[in-house]
């Protein structure tokens, strides 16, 4: 049964699909579309773009929110775009507390205000790991259904085995996140530098 779904993100739709944030936004939309649903990408910055990755783009200021069966917001900074809705889900990068993490210090009040709005309005929240789920329950209780969905996690986890990398290669392993758009060019530079030293070097990424 086709159901209209809005994927809401405070991001310019006029950028190339190189950052993981935009890739996730559009890939999720394509997955819902393949399941037979009507999917709209809704943003505060359509910037003249009418479609992205084959999905229609809508300005949040002109959205007919009552049209949607479900609405998903991406991250706390998209909260100002979201309406009240009976099937609202909000994906969060991490849950901030009044005293941590330090990386939110410069805008902690804003993040906490957004989280309070989510706690009062969202039916579901999605977080990366049990730690953030525990923080949410500590701060806001059990009013929302919490979904733990690690980013970059394969649908099927391979069975444990020994070293998965080619034994004839020299492996450099990057353990971290490539979600920041600056990381992909950086890692490409590292890979080229290693290859210039030794053609048997291979750079692999472990993380999200």
């Amino acid at each position: 049964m086709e159901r209209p779904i809005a994927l809401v993100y405070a991001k310019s739709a006029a950028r190339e699909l190189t950052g993981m944030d935009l890739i996730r936004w559009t890939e999720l939309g394509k997955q819902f579309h393949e399941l037979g649903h009507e999917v709209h990408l809704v943003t505060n910055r359509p910037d003249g773009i009418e479609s992205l990755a084959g999905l229609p783009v809508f300005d949040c200021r002109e959205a007919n929110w009552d049209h949607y069966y479900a609405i998903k917001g991406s991250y706390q900074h998209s909260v100002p775009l979201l309406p009240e809705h009976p099937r609202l889900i909000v994906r969060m990068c991490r849950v901030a507390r009044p005293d941590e993490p330090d990386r939110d210090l410069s805008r902690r009040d804003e993040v906490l205000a957004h989280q309070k709005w989510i706690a009062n309005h969202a039916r579901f929240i999605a977080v990366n790991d049990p730690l953030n789920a525990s923080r949410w329950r500590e701060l806001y209780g059990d009013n929302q259904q919490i979904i733990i969905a690690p980013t970059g996690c394969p649908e099927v986890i391979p069975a444990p085995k020994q070293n998965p990398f080619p034994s004839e290669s020299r492996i450099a392993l990057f353990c971290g996140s490539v979600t920041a758009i600056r990381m992909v060019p950086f890692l490409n530079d590292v890979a080229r530098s290693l290859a210039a030293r030794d053609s048997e070097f291979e750079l692999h990424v472990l993380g999200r």
Side-chain angles (χ1 to χ4, degrees), residues 4-161:
I5 298 172
L7 303 181
V8 184
Y9 192 20
K11 191 79 171 183
S12 173
R15 301 181 63 177
E16 294 184 19
L17 289 176
T18 53
M20 283 303 300
D21 51 356
L22 288 181
I23 292 173
R24 287 182 187 141
W25 189 33
T26 55
E27 285 298 316
L28 180 62
K30 288 192 288 186
Q31 290 293 322
F32 279 127
H33 180 74
E34 290 176 5
L35 291 173
H37 300 295
E38 175 189 359
V39 181
H40 295 170
L41 302 178
V42 182
T43 178
N44 59 333
R45 297 179 59 193
D47 294 340
I49 302 297
E50 296 182 355
S51 67
L52 188 63
L55 301 170
V57 174
F58 286 83
D59 191 319
C60 64
R61 290 154 291 204
E62 301 173 1
N64 178 11
W65 299 115
D66 292 335
H67 170 70
Y68 298 109
Y69 175 80
I71 298 172
K72 175 188 177 289
S74 295
Y75 309 118
Q76 286 96 319
H77 64 273
S78 295
V79 162
L81 282 57
L82 297 173
E84 295 186 23
H85 193 276
R87 298 184 187 87
L88 176 64
I89 179 172
V90 180
R91 168 74 180 191
M92 291 188 288
C93 179
R94 61 189 171 277
V95 176
R97 296 173 54 180
D99 57 342
E100 64 175 348
D102 290 343
R103 63 189 295 182
D104 293 317
L105 182 60
S106 63
R107 57 188 198 85
R108 193 183 308 279
D109 290 345
E110 176 187 4
V111 172
L112 291 173
H114 289 165
Q115 289 180 183
K116 184 176 181 180
W117 188 94
I118 295 169
N120 290 333
H121 296 90
R123 184 172 175 181
F124 309 91
I125 65 164
V127 294
N128 289 342
D129 50 48
L131 172 62
N132 281 287
S134 176
R135 283 180 176 172
W136 183 268
R137 292 190 182 98
E138 175 189 334
L139 291 169
Y140 306 108
D142 293 313
N143 293 329
Q144 286 78 32
Q145 180 175 337
I146 299 177
I147 302 166
I148 299 177
T151 56
C153 180
E155 184 175 356
V156 178
I157 305 297
K161 61 180 181 180

Side-chain angles (χ1 to χ4, degrees), residues 173-187:
L173 191 60
F174 172 78
C175 301
S177 174
V178 294
T179 56
I181 194 169
R182 65 182 181 278
M183 291 306 301
V184 174
F186 167 75
L187 291 175

